[in-house]
Amino acid sequence: MSNVQVYNDMNANQLMAMMGSGQQQQEEMTSLLPLLKINYQDEDADGNELKKGLFVLGTGEDAVYAKEVKIRVFGDFMQYLHYDAEAEEVVNRSIIHRMGDEPIDEKGTVRCGRPAGKDYHALSDDAKKKYTGITCFRYLYGVVSMDGATSTGEKKVIETEPCLFRNKGASFLNFSKEVIEGCNSKGVMFQQVDSTVTTQRHKKGSVTYFTPHFAPDFANILEITEGDAEIMRNILETIKVVNDDVRQKHDESLKSKQSDTKVVEAVEGELVDDELGF
């Protein structure tokens, strides 16, 4: 990946701190990496039958499905996305950030206009409707291995493929509870463990959904190699590409709002002058 020179002088500990290491925290549309997610489709574009609840890596003809995967997470980040269901498109996005960072967005606001976590969850259901479509995703950047198959049944084995695993809602805190807390108690970084990940099926009324669950391999603590450091540099550069674009649009939105405000103030001033007969 290009232009990673800015991170080349960082040692492994510095890189892990930037990647959202658990001991530093108190907590496909923009990705340049293959997206790992839980499948919710009954069939693919060609009508091949698919099973819900499987993991799927990639899209289209390149997609590979598996009942479980092994993932080693190198980076733990978040991003707010505002999806307009009627237009079927993302209309705003924040920077990809760590806990404690200010998640500015493309429209010149923060969190795509949604209140901060505790304030949002304290709202009534009716009040929350105002923010429908604005979701905070947890982004787990890492490498994935899987013994899977395509939608046509062709066997595919994936070995340590860089990916982005996106989580939200009921899945948001599972990585913290099942991996980071265990790592903290053992005095290791989450980048030093592989986890086997499976899905659990839930049913709430007429809605069926799945959550991922991590089983970290604490019996085999991994050393951080120069190859691992290079993966972290590449992930940081991937994030930088997205964030540079968001920040540019954020600044442009603020300038546009300031310009609009000056126009309104000038017009209002003229109206007052007219009213007073000046």
Side-chain angles (χ1 to χ4, degrees), residues 102-114:
E102 184 179 46
I104 61 173
D105 59 52
E106 294 180 337
K107 302 295 185 183
T109 58
V110 178
R111 293 181 297 275
C112 296
R114 204 178 92 166

Side-chain angles (χ1 to χ4, degrees), residues 79-83 112 114 131 133-137 167-169:
Q79 185 181 38
Y80 286 84
L81 295 177
H82 185 182
Y83 182 77
C112 296
R114 204 178 92 166
Y131 307 104
I134 303 174
T135 303
C136 183
F137 288 89
N167 292 264
K168 65 175 183 176

Side-chain angles (χ1 to χ4, degrees), residues 9 18 22 45 53-54 79 81 85 102 110 120 129 158 166 176 182 188 195 211 216 220 223 233 245 261:
D9 293 333
M18 289 195 69
L54 295 180
Q79 185 181 38
L81 295 177
E102 184 179 46
V110 178
Y120 173 76
K129 291 179 181 178
I158 304 295
R166 225 167 47 182
S176 292
V188 299
S195 295
T211 55
N220 295 287
E223 295 296 323
R233 293 185 188 105
D245 186 51
T261 298

Side-chain angles (χ1 to χ4, degrees), residues 72 182-183 186-194 216-224:
R72 183 180 179 187
C183 286
K186 296 179 183 300
V188 299
M189 301 295 191
F190 65 70
Q191 291 92 345
Q192 294 180 272
V193 297
D194 281 323
D217 183 7
F218 288 125
N220 295 287
I221 302 301
L222 305 170
E223 295 296 323
I224 302 296

